[in-house]
Amino acid sequence: MASTIRGTKVAKSTKSSKKKVAKKKASVKKEAKISDKQREEEAEVAKLAKTFKKTNFDLVIVESPSKATTLKKYLGKDFEVLASKGHIKDLPKSKLGVDVEGSFDLEIVPIPGKKAIIDRIKIVAKAANNIYLAPDPDREGEAIAFHLAEEIKRPKHTKRVLFNAITKKNILEAINNPTELNAHKYDSQKTRRILDRLVGYKISPILWDKVQRGLSAGRVQSVALRMVVDREDEVTKFVPEQSFSIHAKIKKNDMDVESQYFAEKGQKNEELKDEKRVSFLLKELENKKFTIEDIKKKERRQSPTPPFTTAKLQQEAATKLGFSAQRTMSIAQKLYEGIKLKDDGPSGLITYMRTDSVRVDPQAISDVRDYIKRSYGEEYLPETPNMYQKKSQTQVKAQDAHEAIRPTNLDFLPAKIKADLSDDEYKLYSLIWNKFIASQMSQAILEQTTVMFNAEGYLFKTTGSLIKFAGFRTVYLESLMEKKQNQDEESSFSFLGERILPPLELGEVFSAIEKPLSREHWTSPPPRFSEATLVKDLDENGIGRPSTYAAIISNLQDRNYVQKLENRFRPTDLGTLVCQMLVKSFPSILDVEFTANIENQLDQIENGEISWKKVLKSFYGPFEKTLEKAKEEMKNLKKMQIPSGIDCRKCEKGEYLVKWGRNGQFLACSEYPECKSSEDFKRIPDGKIEIVEKEYTKEKCPTCSKRMIVKSGRYGRFFACEDYPNCKTALPYTIDVACPKCKKGKFAEKKGRFKLFYGCSTYPECDNAVWDYPVAQDCPECHYPVVCKKTSKKIGDYLQCPECKFKIIS
């Protein structure tokens, strides 16, 4: 027995050592790659310092290499264009970097890995006649511009230029009309950065101490988490209410007309909540004649909506295309910076994609009106341009710095350049294009008809609509209208769930084609947030700014505070607990109005209306006192043990206690360490704890030959030995599909930053991976032995080859 135990320990130790060695090798390999890259860059810079002889040129510095390529095309040989590749300087990672005891001065240092980029820019800038700083025209871009100016140290020859769109006209106009660096905008960015650093660096360590290491709190992220947790609380506490409706059908001209009970004649609309009343009415209504007592027709006009703001683009892309906010912004960035077109070279296709404005350049309005008249006809063009205003007249100037999101050139029709775009780029560009065209088109005209039937003293009502002129709806429907219309097409309805009616006249009498029927209805809880509705609520409540929504949602998922199930966000146990603790200890930080007010103050700083240091002082004084109180009073979950009332399954003495571990809550025997029994659990609707039965696999533990259990951890599902903690063997959660690249491993389920993916179980030896669920089936086109399950709104479920992209549609 002893030798067996010793042997097990040796095996475990050997396996553990192998894992550590493999991990260390991977880490060393990664560091070596970084070091090699840095050495190459430094060698290039050293070579550039010796060989750069160019004179009589101007330098333009942008953020991204793709934007640099597009600008170079328009500016020609008299300009050099370099990319900073984002921020070059920031607060240090290892310390706070903010003088909270004095004047809130920042310690801004070069970002690790950016030395070669900074040196390259300094070498070229030294020889240039003029330097044009052209990072993005927002707060972050202004900060980058300031940091570049600090490193270049040529203030008399350095100018700021702003591109709202990457087109020849905009670029040359900006270069010919440079501006100065905007200190107020930079102050606003500094304030935002300091506030985020203070909240993150001061609150996160408390969570590490009280809950677990690796947790984080964010100034805006935590408020967004609270919104998700509060909504889940509403859903959980919701008590549905029952109601009824009564429906009758008549027929005219082979068309069924359904009408709904309204009230007894002379009474107001009756709400049916009593089952006895419904039964009485159903008996009363049998064999009644339905006479048309009233017909009202009303013409309705529906106006188009403005072009996209950032928030609206994220919402519509989520609803119509299924894109996450992160994905939408990433694609929009590429469309803005420039796509290489076959006939035109690198071209910026849309205006700047971070904006709260619905304003459009007058020339662009003139161009789109010409396009509408030419493409659709005069009846689709309103007499005067459609002008739009922001939802709130009190919004400050900072949010109206850029136009709405629109195409830069109406010659670039989506269909014309489709071959030059990826599928995602084409979908998003088409969405932006159609929205902009529709925004300047005529109203849709609908005729709404309301018919009241008198069933011998009982009134029934039906409504219907007919689209007399489609107007802007020819080109674009809001996602809500589109959803309604799609539902209506399936059920012979037309606009917003109302029926198309046959010709009806006053006094006509009908018999019901079947007995009137009742339908039972239950009120629904408020829906959990989808990506689109969370962005909408963040926007409407003034939480963060549209440009930050993608990062906020990403962080919540990365930290395992929320998870997306059936396209809806639900808080995890960890997220709920962290939120509850933060709300109790930091009520103002987690308050929606307080956070929205901070955003307004950042806008005021940008407009020069308030001092940035004044904002920081008013924030930090109360915050510091709250911090000290939280350190003392916040409950320590690491030490908490809550009785569950469930007896231990392994020993006779113990009771399971609810404890908090690295991956969340679990049940552990009260007799630990004598009894090491532990179980996963869930809470059923009435709040009671229920043990989750273990899911066993077919495979045996390679170390001790016992059964393997499916478990969930921070990085997704995995296989673990049932004899844990005596045997700590763990394996990736594999699918029975062999890796076609190395032919040794199997595809293993892994949790990426944004979604699950499937990689070879032998990683890092084999780095083969696919994003979608793999199936062992030959591709009919290229004979690759694996295809992946995919789904889309247009074609539903299908299979696609990860190699040649061939689709198999059943």
Side-chain angles (χ1 to χ4, degrees):
M1 183 70 179
S3 62
T4 304
I5 292 170
R6 267 198 305 275
T8 302
K9 284 184 178 178
V10 169
K12 283 194 298 184
S13 175
T14 305
K15 188 165 185 68
S16 176
S17 298
K18 283 181 179 178
K19 278 186 180 179
K20 285 178 182 175
V21 169
K23 196 172 180 181
K24 192 173 182 181
K25 278 183 180 177
S27 177
V28 169
K29 196 174 179 182
K30 188 177 178 182
E31 286 175 13
K33 277 185 180 178
I34 294 168
S35 298
D36 289 343
K37 188 178 179 183
Q38 285 177 349
R39 277 195 291 272
E40 285 173 16
E41 287 178 344
E42 286 168 9
E44 282 178 24
V45 170
K47 185 180 177 182
L48 184 69
K50 292 178 182 177
T51 60
F52 191 78
K53 305 294 182 187
K54 189 171 180 178
T55 57
N56 199 27
F57 70 94
D58 290 337
L59 171 64
V60 178
I61 307 172
V62 293
E63 287 184 49
S64 76
S66 60
K67 194 196 289 187
T69 305
T70 309
L71 259 68
K72 186 66 178 170
K73 164 192 164 186
Y74 294 124
L75 292 173
K77 62 181 181 179
D78 293 333
F79 285 84
E80 283 290 317
V81 186
L82 296 179
S84 69
K85 296 184 180 179
H87 281 276
I88 59 167
K89 298 169 82 173
D90 196 9
L91 293 168
K93 282 193 173 184
S94 56
K95 56 181 176 177
L96 184 64
V98 182
D99 178 19
V100 292
E101 303 300 328
S103 56
F104 291 98
D105 290 334
L106 289 76
E107 183 183 346
I108 300 291
V109 298
I111 295 170
K114 287 295 183 85
K115 183 180 182 300
I117 290 172
I118 294 170
D119 289 345
R120 184 184 292 113
I121 288 170
K122 286 164 75 172
I123 291 165
V124 180
K126 189 176 180 181
N129 295 331
N130 298 294
I131 300 117
Y132 297 98
L133 304 177
D136 285 350
D138 56 12
R139 291 172 191 163
E140 297 303 314
E142 204 64 32
I144 294 169
F146 263 86
H147 297 157
L148 286 166
E150 287 169 2
E151 292 297 322
I152 292 167
K153 294 183 174 68
R154 294 189 64 194
K156 291 182 181 179
H157 300 273
T158 302
K159 298 289 181 183
R160 178 78 163 108
V161 291
L162 304 170
F163 302 136
N164 183 55
I166 310 300
T167 63
K168 186 173 184 178
K169 178 192 170 190
N170 285 79
I171 291 164
L172 296 180
E173 191 176 310
I175 293 292
N176 291 328
N177 298 281
T179 64
E180 300 298 323
L181 289 164
N182 188 328
H184 293 314
K185 191 180 278 190
Y186 182 37
D187 287 344
S188 180
Q189 189 274 344
K190 283 191 294 187
T191 310
R192 196 272 310 159
R193 188 72 186 92
I194 292 170
L195 288 170
D196 289 349
R197 175 56 68 100
L198 290 175
V199 172
Y201 260 59
K202 296 288 187 178
I203 297 180
S204 296
I206 301 175
L207 293 176
W208 298 353
D209 184 49
K210 306 287 187 178
V211 187
Q212 68 184 54
R213 286 196 68 81
L215 298 182
S216 75
R219 182 180 61 85
V220 180
Q221 165 196 305
S222 298
V223 180
L225 173 61
R226 181 178 186 175
M227 290 168 67
V228 176
V229 171
D230 285 351
R231 178 61 57 86
E232 189 67 24
D233 196 40
E234 288 178 51
V235 172
T236 305
K237 291 178 178 177
F238 181 80
V239 179
E241 292 183 6
Q242 186 183 36
S243 64
F244 299 89
S245 60
I246 296 174
H247 302 260
K249 277 186 184 178
I250 64 162
K251 184 184 282 288
K252 184 175 183 184
N253 298 346
D254 295 322
M255 185 181 286
D256 289 353
V257 178
E258 186 177 287
S259 194
Q260 184 172 324
Y261 174 74
F262 183 74
E264 288 190 51
K265 190 169 175 61
Q267 302 295 316
K268 292 182 181 178
N269 188 10
E270 183 178 357
E271 240 185 308
L272 299 175
K273 293 193 173 182
D274 183 6
E275 219 167 332
K276 289 180 180 178
R277 171 67 175 162
V278 172
S279 299
F280 168 78
L281 286 170
L282 288 173
K283 286 180 183 178
E284 281 287 302
L285 290 164
E286 283 185 24
N287 303 316
K288 299 282 187 188
K289 297 289 185 183
F290 287 74
T291 305
I292 298 180
E293 187 173 88
D294 188 33
I295 299 176
K296 288 180 181 174
K297 291 187 177 181
K298 184 181 178 182
E299 189 175 272
R300 290 176 57 190
R301 290 178 178 264
Q302 185 187 6
S303 298
T305 51
F308 285 126
T309 60
T310 305
K312 290 295 183 186
L313 176 63
Q314 291 175 8
Q315 291 168 47
E316 285 287 281
T319 308
K320 287 191 172 221
L321 307 177
F323 288 0
S324 67
Q326 186 90 12
R327 188 173 169 191
T328 298
M329 294 308 291
S330 175
I331 299 163
Q333 183 88 32
K334 292 176 186 175
L335 294 174
Y336 162 69
E337 290 177 351
I339 300 290
K340 191 173 183 180
L341 303 180
K342 185 180 177 182
D343 299 327
D344 296 272
S347 303
L349 297 181
I350 64 170
T351 54
Y352 191 55
M353 66 289 161
R354 295 187 181 94
T355 176
D356 285 350
S357 175
V358 293
R359 177 174 53 80
V360 175
D361 180 75
Q363 184 58 52
I365 291 177
S366 176
D367 291 344
V368 75
R369 284 175 62 81
D370 289 343
Y371 174 84
I372 292 166
K373 185 177 179 180
R374 191 170 64 248
S375 303
Y376 296 94
E378 287 195 20
E379 66 270 30
Y380 287 88
L381 186 69
E383 288 184 15
T384 58
N386 295 329
M387 305 304 289
Y388 299 99
Q389 292 182 330
K390 289 181 289 187
K391 59 189 175 184
S392 170
Q393 295 303 307
T394 59
Q395 283 179 300
V396 292
K397 291 179 289 182
Q399 294 173 260
D400 195 39
H402 317 293
E403 283 187 70
I405 304 168
R406 62 169 177 86
T408 57
N409 189 336
L410 294 180
D411 289 335
F412 295 148
L413 278 75
K416 181 181 174 182
I417 61 171
K418 185 176 181 181
D420 299 315
L421 304 175
S422 69
D423 285 349
D424 285 355
E425 288 165 352
Y426 173 73
K427 287 175 185 175
L428 194 67
Y429 181 60
S430 298
L431 196 72
I432 293 166
W433 172 281
N434 291 336
K435 188 75 158 73
F436 177 58
I437 302 297
S439 72
Q440 286 300 324
M441 292 179 77
S442 300
Q443 294 176 321
I445 303 173
L446 305 106
E447 184 180 81
Q448 186 179 51
T449 304
T450 303
V451 181
M452 195 69 78
F453 293 91
N454 187 341
E456 300 177 29
Y458 296 95
L459 300 180
F460 278 71
K461 182 180 178 182
T462 191
T463 55
S465 288
L466 179 67
I467 299 173
K468 294 176 73 176
F469 176 65
F472 77 93
R473 290 165 62 98
T474 307
V475 176
Y476 191 88
L477 274 178
E478 298 294 319
S479 55
L480 177 62
M481 285 187 245
E482 188 177 68
K483 184 179 178 185
K484 292 282 187 185
Q485 177 164 292
N486 289 340
Q487 291 170 349
D488 300 340
E489 284 170 358
E490 293 172 10
S491 58
S492 301
F493 282 28
S494 62
F495 176 64
L496 295 180
E498 298 171 345
R499 301 171 181 81
I500 296 174
L501 302 176
L504 296 169
E505 295 179 11
L506 278 173
E508 281 190 280
V509 181
F510 300 89
S511 294
I513 58 177
E514 57 188 37
K515 287 182 180 180
L517 300 170
S518 66
R519 292 175 190 164
E520 183 181 31
H521 307 279
W522 291 92
T523 51
S524 301
R528 293 181 174 91
F529 286 112
S530 64
E531 189 108 13
T533 55
L534 183 54
V535 166
K536 181 174 181 285
D537 274 36
L538 288 170
D539 185 43
E540 288 180 351
N541 285 291
I543 306 301
R545 282 289 171 257
S547 57
T548 65
Y549 296 156
I552 291 167
I553 293 168
S554 244
N555 285 338
L556 291 177
Q557 291 175 279
D558 290 347
R559 299 293 179 187
N560 197 32
Y561 289 160
V562 304
Q563 55 186 344
K564 197 188 259 190
L565 298 171
E566 298 174 348
N567 210 33
R568 298 280 171 173
F569 290 115
R570 299 188 188 206
T572 60
D573 287 345
L574 175 63
T576 302
L577 196 65
V578 167
C579 179
Q580 289 169 348
M581 294 173 76
L582 290 176
V583 168
K584 189 172 181 180
S585 297
F586 301 95
S588 62
I589 299 294
L590 272 287
D591 181 68
V592 170
E593 285 187 21
F594 176 83
T595 306
N597 185 48
I598 291 285
E599 297 297 339
N600 288 333
Q601 288 179 330
L602 292 175
D603 291 337
Q604 288 177 303
I605 294 168
E606 184 171 335
N607 292 328
E609 297 167 4
I610 189 173
S611 161
W612 67 283
K613 291 189 177 182
K614 182 179 178 182
V615 170
L616 288 170
K617 283 175 184 175
S618 66
F619 171 84
Y620 191 69
F623 177 63
E624 190 176 28
K625 292 175 184 175
T626 311
L627 273 173
E628 295 306 316
K629 191 177 178 183
K631 287 175 186 175
E632 296 296 322
E633 297 181 3
M634 188 183 281
K635 61 184 178 183
N636 192 324
L637 291 183
K638 289 181 179 179
K639 297 177 181 178
M640 284 183 65
Q641 299 182 3
I642 305 167
S644 68
I646 302 172
D647 293 335
C648 177
R649 290 181 169 185
K650 282 194 176 180
C651 71
E652 295 178 359
K653 300 179 186 177
E655 173 193 1
Y656 283 124
L657 305 173
V658 178
K659 291 188 177 183
W660 192 266
R662 189 171 53 184
N663 296 318
Q665 290 179 307
F666 68 101
L667 298 177
C669 182
S670 57
E671 294 299 307
Y672 180 85
E674 285 75 21
C675 177
K676 296 177 181 177
S677 175
S678 66
E679 298 284 349
D680 293 327
F681 72 93
K682 64 181 179 181
R683 293 188 186 276
I684 52 180
D686 63 3
K688 289 182 181 177
I689 287 172
E690 190 177 87
I691 291 175
V692 176
E693 297 302 329
K694 293 179 173 65
E695 181 186 345
Y696 293 96
T697 71
K698 294 177 183 177
E699 298 180 30
K700 299 289 184 184
C701 174
T703 306
C704 67
S705 299
K706 290 191 176 178
R707 293 179 299 177
M708 300 289 281
I709 303 167
V710 178
K711 295 185 81 70
S712 293
R714 184 177 176 185
Y715 302 104
R717 292 186 293 181
F718 63 96
F719 298 146
C721 180
E722 69 173 336
D723 196 30
Y724 179 87
N726 295 322
C727 177
K728 295 181 180 177
T729 301
L731 299 171
Y733 185 91
T734 53
I735 297 161
D736 196 19
V737 177
C739 172
K741 187 175 180 181
C742 68
K743 297 180 173 57
K744 293 179 184 177
K746 292 181 179 179
F747 279 106
E749 185 180 285
K750 299 186 179 185
K751 190 176 180 183
R753 187 177 177 189
F754 302 116
K755 58 181 277 190
L756 285 173
F757 69 97
Y758 304 88
C760 183
S761 56
T762 65
Y763 180 84
E765 292 173 26
C766 175
D767 61 359
N768 191 21
V770 293
W771 280 110
D772 302 289
Y773 192 90
V775 177
Q777 179 179 322
D778 284 358
C779 169
E781 186 72 12
C782 70
H783 305 292
Y784 193 70
V786 171
V787 292
C788 297
K789 288 184 179 180
K790 293 179 78 72
T791 187
S792 76
K793 288 186 177 181
K794 282 189 177 179
I795 57 179
D797 296 332
Y798 64 98
L799 299 174
Q800 181 172 295
C801 175
E803 285 291 296
C804 71
K805 309 303 178 188
F806 181 80
K807 292 183 177 71
I808 306 168
I809 302 168
S810 56

